[in-house]
Amino acid sequence: GILAGSLTGVGKGFFGLLMMRSITALSPFDPAKVLHDGLFWNLIFVAVGIAMQFFETTYLLCLNVVGEHLTKNLRLELMKKLMHFEVGFFDSEENSVGAITEYLGEKVTLMQGLVGEKLGTMAQSVVMLVVTVFTMFFWGDWRVSLIVLAALPISGVLMTVAMQSMMPMDAGKQGKQDKDASEKKSAGSLIGEVVLGIRTVASFNAEIKFYGDFCVQVDELEKRGTIRAFTGGALNGFAFCILYVIFGAELWYGLWLGSVGALVSLDGEI
């Protein structure tokens, strides 16, 4: 799976070069040469697309299957361990029925993302970066490549900021505890307790009490989520704004080098 993910990174790293060559294939004035070069690069794109389809499928299939097996085994081992705990263990607030149910249903699956698809994505990203830098210096101009490479850390930080601002608001959705550590149950675990113990709740006429607690939790999550949405949108817009400014500066520099005759084409012509 990791090997297939790395090979997809190779294909994505060469995408810019293939796109550039396919566009420049339309520049000659000879119609026969345009037809020949255009057909050649079209076939190259078809071949690369078929290879990417195969490697992407292999990469996701292998790592997701491994992740599913890991999640299943982790749930079974955790359930086996819970069956051997003393009864007093479940009297604690953080070990309530709702909290354990939420843990088994949702949080265990986080391990699948850690050692499954994310592992292949990391390998794919590293290989793609190496291949991209290689193509820049080997087929491109070294001055433009240095400018792009120098701006790469800034672009990486900005992309990280943009991705973080666009990610789901996990902290709010999971109902984290307040800063004063008052040990409030999350909204999800509260629902689990009410549903599993509905007879007991009804016998004590505690429906209004649980509903009131749930409303407080949801209102607090909505308040935090609204603030997070505004700040996330502002950060996302700022990050992409600076990214486009950097891309524009790099493009202007390359065009300026071309205007003074400092660039050399792939065929060795000025």
Side-chain angles (χ1 to χ4, degrees), residues 90 92-107 185-197:
F90 302 96
S92 179
E93 187 75 15
E94 59 269 16
N95 300 325
S96 62
V97 176
I100 293 177
T101 303
E102 182 184 14
Y103 187 86
L104 283 171
E106 298 179 6
K107 296 184 179 180
K185 295 185 292 293
S186 68
S189 62
L190 184 61
I191 292 177
E193 280 196 45
V194 172
V195 172
L196 292 175

Side-chain angles (χ1 to χ4, degrees), residues 9 24 109 117:
T24 55
T109 58
E117 185 178 348

Side-chain angles (χ1 to χ4, degrees), residues 1 23 77-78 104 119 162 182 188 222:
I23 294 176
E77 291 297 326
L78 181 59
L104 283 171
L119 197 61
S182 59
E222 181 188 12

